[in-house]
Amino acid sequence: MESKILKFENFSAGYGNLLVLKNINLEIFEKKITAIMGPSGCGKTTLIRCINRMHELNKEAFHKGDIFLNDKSIFEMNPVFLRRKIGMVFQKPNPFPHLSIYENVLAGYIINGIKLKREEKDKIVEDCLKKVALWEEVKDKLYLKGTQLSGGQQQRLCIARSLALNPEIILLDEPTSSLDPKSTVEIENLLEKLKDNVTIIIVTHNISQASRIADYVAFLYLGELIEYGKSEKIFTAPENPKTEEYLSGKFG
Amino acid sequence: MSFEKIYKRIIAIGGVLIIGLLLSIFITLFINSSISIKKFGFSFLINKTWDPVFENFGAFPFIVGTLLTSIISLIISIPFSLSVSLFIGEYYKDTIFSKIFETFIEILAVIPSVVFGLWGLFYLAPIVRNLQIKFSLPPTGVSVFTASLVLSIMIIPYTISVGKEVIKLIPTDLKEAAFSFGATHYEVIKKIILPYAKSGIIAGFLLSFGRAIGETMAVTMVIGNVNTIPRSIFLPGNTIASVIANEFLEAITKIHISALIELALILFVITFILNLIANNIIKKVV
């Protein structure tokens, strides 16, 4: 039996007068890949930004309802500690340009002012870069700036950076949308390996990507959760006609 | 000739004229200071005496005075300009608050320097006089420190105008990446914004520094115009710019005039180089 790590309960969110997410009820399973799909503007990004409370950084943001992480409401937690438990990878690779590859992996520690011994640092950097299959490519040039790598390598560096704080969940917001097909495949393979240790929630535009890697798929349309279930089921026998229309490419 | 070609030519002439103007100012200064350059040579820069009566001229007291006032004013202004830059460029970015602030700061930059000078003379000098009495120094009111205070206010807009722009330029996704690690706003500023905007902010300081070095009117009014190296910053002194403004009318001998022009040449070269460096840094950042 799969255990639940995250639970949305009657959750709505938006900005100013705009309601983006409408009464979402959703349970995310531990150590699985859950893909959030749907056409542009359906609230995918807002949904994952609520999970680590990044949504609140916008001054006009609001939310109703609740999200539970391991049965504890995230809105009762200190957002600083919550965010350390939840890694995030963005659409465009965004390594810190003033930090080296080595420092970029440790960015979570550096920014939070957590002091580490030299050996601990070396170990974290090596482990995380191995996890994202970047170690062999960069082990001799760790002092280079993170921005000197190729796009695909930068994105893997950003995934390594999000893994360094040992998160329970990592959120990926269309992580391959700016990458070439080869780098995309590399990242997909990587995510499949990573799910042994961490829960992965990925927003994606790309239907075939979701079918390749996701265990569970949530289909959002105009802020509502239209359908959610095991990936095989959604892709072979969707219950809702809207889901079928989207998957068959009638809109999107 | 087509209109297009005439138009292009006019623009080109304008550009060449500007460069020519700059060059001709430099050449004029150089030619007219030749008497002084020949007579004093390099020692002009390190000679501590400026004596029109015995025709012994050295720029050292003014170089010291200029560096002192500029550096002190920069140090005083840094905390203010940095926090206002963060206020406008980060905390209240693109809000009505920051628009109002920016307008006021721009106004600060266009106030004529003689107004700053008068204000310094009537308002700041008495305050400095009280300080001087406390330190049992001659209560002149006007001093290197008074000039630095006035200068620090005058250069704040220059630092801010560059600082706020480079802070605004920092990509949102970098800040968000830092927030996603659980950073607080203060940590984002300290670990991401300031390191990223560092060179731009330094360029702003350099521009301000160049401005402070060349500022004449306000400084002349409150520095006390004494041609020796000030033993304390609470004593009167003179800067390169202020001694030129003070003495060019009463300079009669050729060598005195030539020495003043050599001071102008030094000022020209220093500010030119400072601006060149600052603009190069800004170009790289923006």
Side-chain angles (χ1 to χ4, degrees):
Chain A
M1 187 60 209
E2 290 145 355
S3 59
K4 293 157 198 142
I5 186 163
L6 203 66
K7 189 175 166 201
F8 287 71
E9 218 175 71
N10 302 325
F11 187 79
S12 303
Y15 306 91
N17 296 322
L18 184 72
L19 187 61
V20 182
L21 292 173
K22 296 165 192 162
N23 203 32
I24 305 281
N25 284 287
L26 178 68
E27 288 174 331
I28 307 269
F29 297 97
E30 196 175 1
K31 294 182 183 167
K32 298 285 170 199
I33 299 180
T34 303
I36 317 278
M37 287 200 317
S40 309
C42 69
K44 305 183 294 281
T45 299
T46 307
L47 183 84
I48 64 162
R49 287 172 67 92
C50 286
I51 299 173
N52 62 352
R53 295 181 62 181
M54 292 282 283
H55 178 60
E56 295 164 28
L57 293 179
N58 186 311
K59 285 188 186 100
E60 295 192 352
F62 66 87
H63 70 89
K64 275 198 308 246
D66 218 333
I67 301 175
F68 297 95
L69 173 67
N70 296 321
D71 298 321
K72 208 175 159 235
S73 167
I74 62 165
F75 297 103
E76 283 164 20
M77 298 181 197
N78 183 335
V80 166
F81 293 118
L82 173 72
R83 288 178 196 144
R84 287 187 200 172
K85 284 191 211 168
I86 301 177
M88 192 170 209
V89 177
F90 296 78
Q91 232 177 71
K92 256 176 56 196
N94 56 355
F96 297 114
H98 62 287
L99 300 182
S100 66
I101 295 172
Y102 186 88
E103 291 165 322
N104 257 292
V105 179
L106 296 167
Y109 294 93
I110 295 173
I111 287 165
N112 284 311
I114 303 169
K115 292 265 182 306
L116 293 173
K117 286 198 199 99
R118 179 80 205 190
E119 310 88 72
E120 289 174 304
K121 284 190 199 167
D122 290 347
K123 191 170 178 316
I124 292 170
V125 171
E126 187 174 341
D127 283 353
C128 291
L129 289 176
K130 276 182 176 161
K131 278 184 199 160
V132 299
L134 197 57
W135 177 250
E136 290 302 321
E137 293 162 49
V138 301
K139 64 179 178 189
D140 301 320
K141 43 182 180 181
L142 291 171
Y143 54 87
L144 284 185
K145 294 273 178 272
T147 39
Q148 285 171 272
L149 297 172
S150 74
Q153 288 175 321
Q154 287 190 23
Q155 196 60 304
R156 278 184 281 155
L157 178 61
C158 290
I159 297 175
R161 179 176 77 174
S162 74
L163 290 170
L165 284 168
N166 280 321
E168 293 178 36
I169 301 176
I170 51 175
L171 310 169
L172 301 105
D173 188 357
E174 298 190 33
T176 59
S177 63
S178 66
L179 301 181
D180 59 89
K182 185 173 166 280
S183 308
T184 302
V185 173
E186 281 171 348
I187 297 223
E188 286 175 6
N189 293 340
L190 167 68
L191 293 178
E192 294 206 72
K193 261 188 263 155
L194 289 177
K195 74 172 179 182
D196 293 340
N197 297 307
V198 63
T199 307
I200 294 169
I201 303 174
I202 177 171
V203 164
T204 179
H205 234 63
N206 184 333
I207 296 165
S208 50
Q209 178 170 66
S211 73
R212 281 194 296 269
I213 60 169
D215 300 303
Y216 288 85
V217 172
F219 174 61
L220 284 178
Y221 183 64
L222 298 177
E224 285 178 77
L225 181 64
I226 303 290
E227 191 159 353
Y228 176 59
K230 289 218 172 193
S231 148
E232 309 93 75
K233 169 129 196 331
I234 299 262
F235 284 107
T236 52
E239 276 169 21
N240 195 304
K242 264 268 170 292
T243 317
E244 195 173 353
E245 274 178 43
Y246 179 73
L247 293 178
S248 58
K250 289 210 175 104
F251 67 95
Chain B
M1 213 168 13
S2 71
F3 173 74
E4 188 73 12
K5 271 186 184 162
I6 298 171
Y7 180 67
K8 261 189 190 161
R9 211 155 275 189
I10 291 173
I11 291 178
I13 291 169
V16 171
L17 270 181
I18 293 285
I19 297 172
L21 200 64
L22 198 68
L23 272 176
S24 67
I25 291 177
F26 179 79
I27 293 167
T28 315
L29 288 176
F30 195 77
I31 292 172
N32 286 304
S33 57
S34 59
I35 305 173
S36 161
I37 292 174
K38 262 180 216 145
K39 182 163 178 201
F40 303 113
F42 182 74
S43 74
F44 187 73
L45 293 176
I46 48 170
N47 183 358
K48 290 177 197 160
T49 325
W50 179 270
D51 192 339
V53 179
F54 290 97
E55 297 189 343
N56 181 12
F57 295 104
F60 196 67
F62 314 123
I63 293 174
V64 171
T66 306
L67 287 179
L68 270 181
T69 47
S70 310
I71 291 170
I72 296 168
S73 64
L74 202 59
I75 292 170
I76 297 172
S77 74
I78 282 175
F80 297 99
S81 45
L82 206 53
S83 41
V84 176
S85 300
L86 282 169
F87 179 91
I88 296 174
E90 171 64 19
Y91 280 98
Y92 288 87
K93 185 180 178 181
D94 300 327
T95 60
I96 188 88
F97 264 145
S98 58
K99 295 261 156 57
I100 294 171
F101 243 84
E102 280 176 77
T103 313
F104 273 98
I105 289 157
E106 275 158 30
I107 292 172
L108 202 59
V110 296
I111 293 175
S113 66
V114 66
V115 176
F116 276 107
L118 264 188
W119 175 76
L121 200 56
F122 290 116
Y123 186 79
L124 286 179
I127 298 175
V128 175
R129 184 174 299 129
N130 289 338
L131 280 174
Q132 288 169 324
I133 292 168
K134 258 186 204 150
F135 294 134
S136 35
L137 290 163
T140 47
V142 289
S143 72
V144 170
F145 185 67
T146 322
S148 306
L149 279 178
V150 173
L151 269 180
S152 68
I153 299 164
M154 296 179 71
I155 62 175
I156 280 177
Y158 293 83
T159 319
I160 291 174
S161 71
V162 182
K164 69 167 201 270
E165 290 307 323
V166 292
I167 289 171
K168 274 186 195 168
L169 276 177
I170 295 167
T172 315
D173 60 349
L174 285 186
K175 286 187 272 182
E176 290 202 324
F179 278 119
S180 80
F181 285 124
T184 59
H185 208 153
Y186 170 73
E187 284 166 337
V188 172
I189 288 171
K190 193 172 134 195
K191 301 282 172 52
I192 306 296
I193 293 179
L194 290 183
Y196 191 88
K198 190 174 61 190
S199 46
I201 292 170
I202 290 172
F205 290 151
L206 283 181
L207 275 184
S208 302
F209 192 61
R211 171 98 177 95
I213 284 177
E215 174 49 41
T216 312
M217 197 60 220
V219 172
T220 312
M221 289 166 81
V222 295
I223 200 166
N225 313 108
V226 170
N227 295 345
T228 51
I229 298 172
R231 290 229 183 84
S232 153
I233 58 167
F234 291 102
L235 289 172
N238 238 341
T239 66
I240 299 176
S242 65
V243 75
I244 298 171
N246 243 333
E247 294 195 3
F248 80 99
L249 272 182
E250 44 194 77
I252 310 158
T253 57
K254 270 191 181 151
I255 185 74
H256 191 180
I257 294 170
S258 178
L260 285 173
I261 293 172
E262 191 176 350
L263 285 178
L265 183 69
I266 294 170
L267 199 57
F268 181 93
V269 172
I270 295 174
T271 45
F272 185 81
I273 292 172
L274 269 177
N275 271 287
L276 216 58
I277 298 172
N279 282 322
N280 262 321
I281 299 175
I282 293 171
K283 252 185 235 153
K284 268 183 209 151
V285 181
V286 178

